[in-house]
Amino acid sequence: MSTNQPNNKNEEEVDLGSLFVIIGKGFKNFFNFIGNIFKGIFDFFIVILLFLRSNFIKISGALLLGIIVGFIFETSKPDSFGSEMILQPNFKSSRQLYNNINFYNDLVKQKDTAALQKVFNLDKAEAASLQKFTIEPIRVENDIINAYDQLVLEVDTLTIKSYEFETFKNSFTDYDYNFHKINVVAQKNDVFDKLDEVIISSVVNNKYFKRFKELTNENLNRKDSLYRKNLVQLDSLRRVYMQVMLEEAKNPNSGTSIDLGSTATKTTNELELFNTNRRLNSDLEEISEEKSKNYEVINVISNFQPIGHEFKEVTKNYAFLVGIAFAGLMILILLLIKLNRYLENYNK
């Protein structure tokens, strides 16, 4: 028995030693693998740098030649001018506005000068100068938050619990933002102020939106009138209440008492009247804001500038584009030559 116990201990020590050796080799292989990855990436960048250094003159020459050729094309290209208009569509009219802008842009793409002349009442040269119509929302996070808050107020608690903010945010589209920016690019810099009225009227004159606006404003006016009447009645009630309080103060010991009823007494105390008055005034302010906002189908925040600004984009400049293209082509040719040499040596 005593002989077997030392043997068992030795076997356990050998097993543990082997286990540690295996674990050590595993860690070593893992770190070697990670090191080889970084080494491979480093070698790759070194190869690229060596390639660029050895062919720097050729690539630079191609780039310079491309810039010169592109500059020639750029100077012969007609100038482009841009202008923008910011609008606030009401009554969910933003979708119609987007459709109209896309329609105008399609006419430009199709070079339908006659249709553009007719739509915008332009002469042929002005219509032909139009190059692009685009529209995009001015993305403000508060628009999403305010829209969600409005939804919370309109629906019941059980419904809103199953409709989280992130879900609402993901369903929020470009049409749902409050403000939208229309950009127009043209070869003439004085054509823009002839476009805004047509763009706006194309939505404003829609019968559905006109009727929607009329009904909304009628409801707001009715609500405003009702709240103002309530405010007048509340002021009268406050005066009566104050007179009663004064009478009671003048005759503290008289047996006569004015009983307005327990319910009336509770609802016409001074603090309650003050709070009611404050709420009515607050509601009237909100109605005034709504009336101001919904007075038109589309609120114009800023019109097109009468004279457009010169439209230049580096990424669309011919000197930049042709220069990059020539340099890329030279790199491709050099790589193909290098590949061909490698294949020739490989066969040997």
Side-chain angles (χ1 to χ4, degrees):
M1 293 291 291
S2 60
T3 307
N4 291 333
Q5 287 180 353
N7 290 335
N8 290 335
K9 288 182 179 179
N10 290 334
E11 289 177 1
E12 290 177 359
E13 290 176 358
V14 171
D15 291 340
L16 288 174
S18 300
L19 179 62
F20 284 126
V21 169
I22 293 171
I23 293 173
K25 287 183 178 179
F27 276 110
K28 182 180 179 182
N29 292 334
F30 174 74
F31 286 116
N32 286 338
F33 173 73
I34 298 296
N36 289 333
I37 291 176
F38 283 106
K39 185 175 181 297
I41 294 172
F42 178 76
D43 290 342
F44 176 73
F45 279 111
I46 293 298
V47 169
I48 292 175
L49 292 175
L50 290 173
F51 172 79
L52 293 176
R53 190 186 70 172
S54 60
N55 297 285
F56 178 77
I57 296 176
K58 296 176 183 177
I59 296 172
S60 299
L63 178 64
L64 181 61
L65 179 62
I67 290 174
I68 294 171
V69 173
F71 180 76
I72 294 172
F73 281 113
E74 185 69 24
T75 52
S76 62
K77 185 181 72 172
D79 293 332
S80 292
F81 301 90
S83 187
E84 64 182 37
M85 177 168 61
I86 298 176
L87 303 176
Q88 182 188 29
N90 295 318
F91 316 117
K92 300 186 183 298
S93 60
S94 55
R95 187 180 294 272
Q96 180 65 51
L97 180 63
Y98 273 70
N99 289 340
N100 291 353
I101 297 300
N102 291 332
F103 168 69
Y104 303 146
N105 195 53
D106 287 340
L107 293 180
V108 171
K109 287 180 178 179
Q110 297 166 15
K111 301 187 184 300
D112 194 342
T113 306
L116 290 169
Q117 281 183 261
K118 184 178 179 181
V119 170
F120 292 105
N121 194 25
L122 303 172
D123 60 40
K124 188 174 182 179
E126 290 173 334
S129 72
L130 296 173
Q131 293 180 304
K132 185 188 290 186
F133 285 83
T134 58
I135 182 170
E136 60 181 344
I138 298 177
R139 293 179 175 84
V140 179
E141 190 75 16
N142 278 345
D143 288 353
I144 304 176
I145 296 172
N146 292 336
Y148 185 74
D149 288 343
Q150 187 64 33
L151 178 67
V152 171
L153 295 174
E154 291 176 355
V155 301
D156 58 87
T157 308
L158 292 176
T159 303
I160 204 63
K161 281 183 178 179
S162 62
Y163 197 50
E164 296 181 353
F165 176 74
E166 285 301 321
T167 305
F168 178 82
K169 185 177 180 180
N170 293 333
S171 65
F172 202 83
T173 66
D174 288 349
Y175 307 119
D176 298 321
Y177 287 97
N178 284 335
F179 301 101
H180 303 264
K181 182 168 64 175
I182 298 172
N183 292 286
V184 179
V185 180
Q187 292 176 357
K188 284 180 171 288
N189 67 345
D190 58 352
V191 71
F192 303 104
D193 58 349
K194 301 176 183 179
L195 308 177
D196 46 10
E197 286 298 327
V198 176
I199 292 173
I200 295 168
S201 62
S202 66
V203 179
V204 170
N205 292 333
N206 183 292
K207 291 183 179 179
Y208 170 77
F209 296 124
K210 286 176 71 174
R211 185 58 180 159
F212 202 153
K213 183 193 79 169
E214 290 171 2
L215 291 174
T216 301
N217 284 292
E218 285 177 8
N219 290 333
L220 288 172
N221 289 332
R222 191 180 300 112
K223 189 183 291 186
D224 182 85
S225 177
L226 178 62
Y227 279 22
R228 291 184 186 279
K229 287 180 181 178
N230 290 340
L231 198 59
V232 171
Q233 292 172 354
L234 183 64
D235 288 338
S236 300
L237 188 59
R238 287 181 65 185
R239 283 195 295 270
V240 171
Y241 177 74
M242 293 302 296
Q243 288 176 0
V244 170
M245 295 293 291
L246 288 172
E247 290 295 328
E248 289 182 348
K250 288 178 182 178
N251 303 295
N253 298 321
S254 65
T256 306
S257 62
I258 301 174
D259 185 9
L260 298 179
S262 59
T263 304
T265 303
K266 291 179 181 178
T267 57
T268 57
N269 64 74
E270 191 172 359
L271 182 60
E272 184 65 28
L273 288 172
F274 173 78
N275 288 333
T276 304
N277 183 281
R278 184 171 56 83
R279 284 197 299 269
L280 283 173
N281 279 297
S282 177
D283 291 340
L284 283 170
E285 287 181 8
E286 291 180 5
I287 292 171
S288 296
E289 290 177 3
E290 285 294 314
K291 288 171 69 175
S292 175
K293 176 185 174 183
N294 295 306
Y295 186 75
E296 296 290 350
V297 176
I298 292 182
N299 295 323
V300 180
I301 309 303
S302 67
N303 288 95
F304 287 124
Q305 296 84 359
I307 303 298
H309 58 84
E310 192 168 359
F311 191 78
K312 288 185 177 180
E313 283 187 74
V314 175
T315 55
K316 293 185 178 180
N317 187 287
Y318 282 152
F320 173 80
L321 294 175
V322 178
I324 294 296
F326 273 43
L329 182 62
M330 177 57 70
I331 291 172
L332 180 62
I333 292 171
L334 292 171
L335 287 174
L336 290 174
I337 293 172
K338 198 173 185 67
L339 176 63
N340 184 58
R341 288 175 182 171
Y342 173 78
L343 293 175
E344 288 178 352
N345 294 330
Y346 184 81
N347 289 331
K348 294 178 181 179

